Amino acid sequence: MSTLKPLAIGELTAKYPIIQGGMGVGISLSSLAGAVAKAGGVGIISTAQIGFRDPGFLKEPMEANLRAIKTEFDKARRLAPKGIIGFNIMVATRNYAQYVKEAVKAGADIIISGAGLPVALPELVEDAKTKIAPIVSTAKSAMVICKLWDRKFHRIPDLLVIEGPLAGGHLGFTREQLSEYGADTEHVSATYNQAAYDEEIRGIMKVVKQFEEKYAKHIPVAIAGGIYTREDVLHAVDDLGADAVQVATRFVTTEECDAPMCYKQAYINAGEEDIVITQSPVGMPGRAIKNPFLKQMEQQKETGGRVKIDHCYQCLEHCDPKTIPYCITKALSNAAEGDLDHALLFCGSNASRASKIETVEEVMKDLAGES
């Protein structure tokens, strides 16, 4: 049986090549990220509306979020004094640059950035020790970001995350692309074309190799989306040549995950037919658990109605409260607060495989083949 090698990102080394995916709002905060880092992986805090519990959030959401970046990082660091702890920051976030700078200031080991191409990320971290990792889904997007960083900043990614069509939450694919891979069905395990996306991954690897050769430096690659078992990990590492995997859904049903127990139980209760692709208010397809809220949204779409939005939380750069069907911050914060009937429950394609609550250490050992 293949033994996993530690993950080296510059001078940082994780015992296990397992990165915990960022999950906002309030799902991957200090408790989960700290536990993963302590167990030898890379713990990631999501900055998406990270300060939603701050008393000042309603009035000044951005200020509350910036305060929470330091608070959550410090709490995670106390749990894992020597672990690797970073942030996932969405490019689509309003005032993205300020979030990045605050994460650097807090002491982040790494910033992973997707939901758009992080074209200005190298400039925002400047000479800080913080590592930077773009998320890409296609060879084309990998080429665009690597070429641009090379030309404009004379640098390459410290890590590259390849996120496939089986991931949870917002996806870097159009509905049509998901359909091409067979990743838009309610029984995705029967329709998904793994071989087709594996070819795309190999194409991304070729792009990475070009820039590795130019800089005479290795760019570690992590594969994300649909990684749930030891077999998935070995396929990514042994068959596709990845250095690491990024795993999110599997960590939701852990004791240490920051989500409320009813949120975790929703994963355990979900059948494969309950995992659906929905159109997010931000215009991107997303994967979520079908619940009363999503059913209401479907009915609303048919009748042309929309939820009245009383307050804008200033979360995304391109969002018009006058036209969107519902407020995504409200729907996601309801999930984190346990109000599941009025919540958007983002999840990965394997959420229905969850059957019990585990500890982070048990998940890590299982993925690493040590259990």
Side-chain angles (χ1 to χ4, degrees):
M1 187 173 278
S2 176
T3 303
L4 297 182
K5 294 175 187 167
L7 170 63
I9 310 169
E11 72 282 1
L12 302 174
T13 304
K15 180 183 176 185
Y16 298 111
I18 298 167
I19 300 164
Q20 163 251 312
M23 295 171 281
V25 172
I27 308 304
S28 66
L29 297 173
S30 56
S31 177
L32 178 57
V36 171
K38 186 180 179 183
V42 177
I44 299 294
I45 298 165
S46 168
T47 65
Q49 301 298 54
I50 187 173
F52 75 103
R53 288 196 177 100
D54 186 296
F57 180 70
L58 197 64
K59 201 171 178 184
E60 296 181 319
M62 196 181 88
E63 287 77 0
N65 287 336
L66 295 178
R67 282 194 295 273
I69 284 173
K70 170 139 181 66
T71 305
E72 292 296 328
F73 182 82
D74 287 349
K75 279 157 68 177
R77 179 56 75 211
R78 284 196 291 274
L79 289 170
K82 294 179 180 175
I84 301 176
I85 301 164
F87 290 93
N88 179 293
I89 308 178
M90 297 191 303
V91 178
T93 304
R94 189 172 293 192
N95 300 306
Y96 170 76
Q98 284 173 267
Y99 285 84
V100 170
K101 288 175 181 177
E102 200 61 34
V104 170
K105 198 169 135 192
D109 291 314
I110 187 167
I111 290 171
I112 297 175
S113 210
L117 287 178
V119 292
L121 188 53
E123 187 176 34
L124 298 173
V125 301
E126 292 179 332
D127 298 324
K129 289 192 300 182
T130 304
K131 308 299 178 200
I132 52 176
I135 298 175
V136 300
S137 296
T138 63
K140 184 181 176 183
S141 57
M143 180 60 85
V144 167
I145 200 72
C146 288
K147 226 175 182 176
L148 195 144
W149 283 13
D150 170 39
R151 191 184 75 242
K152 207 169 173 188
F153 307 111
H154 310 294
R155 73 172 292 177
I156 48 176
D158 297 303
L159 168 80
L160 189 90
V161 178
I162 301 173
E163 196 165 275
L166 298 182
H170 287 126
L171 303 169
F173 299 86
T174 63
R175 198 78 187 236
E176 292 70 33
Q177 286 171 320
L178 290 173
S179 181
E180 282 169 25
Y181 289 116
D184 62 337
T185 64
E186 289 181 7
H187 289 276
V188 71
S189 62
T191 58
Y192 182 60
N193 190 339
Q194 180 74 56
Y197 194 66
D198 283 356
E199 276 311 300
E200 188 68 41
I201 290 173
R202 290 186 181 99
I204 297 170
M205 293 292 202
K206 284 178 186 170
V207 172
V208 169
K209 195 167 177 17
Q210 282 181 46
F211 289 89
E212 283 183 328
E213 287 171 358
K214 181 169 182 178
Y215 281 78
K217 185 181 174 186
H218 180 56
I219 303 171
V221 171
I223 291 176
I227 310 289
Y228 198 83
T229 64
R230 165 77 172 163
E231 288 68 38
D232 298 330
V233 175
L234 292 180
H235 177 62
V237 174
D238 292 347
D239 301 340
L240 297 171
D243 301 271
V245 291
Q246 181 177 280
V247 180
T249 294
R250 184 75 191 270
F251 285 116
V252 170
T253 50
T254 58
E255 290 175 12
E256 298 91 339
C257 179
D258 298 88
M261 186 52 76
C262 59
Y263 186 107
K264 301 173 189 183
Q265 197 61 44
Y267 276 49
I268 291 169
N269 295 344
E272 197 177 0
E273 68 282 358
D274 299 314
I275 315 299
V276 296
I277 300 293
T278 182
Q279 197 68 16
S280 156
V282 303
M284 299 164 76
R287 184 170 276 112
I289 294 175
K290 189 186 281 185
N291 67 344
F293 175 76
L294 276 191
K295 287 173 187 170
Q296 184 197 336
M297 291 307 107
E298 280 173 20
Q299 289 167 359
Q300 192 175 277
K301 192 177 175 185
E302 287 168 15
T303 59
R306 54 189 292 271
V307 173
K308 186 173 182 286
I309 296 170
D310 300 314
H311 184 80
C312 178
Y313 296 89
Q314 309 288 309
C315 60
L316 298 167
E317 195 64 68
H318 303 291
C319 177
D320 182 359
K322 297 186 192 73
T323 59
I324 56 172
Y326 63 89
C327 171
I328 194 159
T329 286
K330 189 65 182 155
L332 291 173
S333 60
N334 282 347
E337 297 284 17
D339 181 7
L340 300 197
D341 285 351
H342 302 96
L344 178 60
L345 300 173
F346 272 153
C347 69
S349 58
N350 286 307
S352 61
R353 296 173 75 172
S355 60
K356 61 182 179 179
I357 301 295
E358 302 173 274
T359 65
V360 161
E361 193 169 350
E362 285 168 345
V363 171
M364 293 289 284
K365 288 193 179 306
D366 183 49
L367 293 173
E370 296 178 5
S371 57

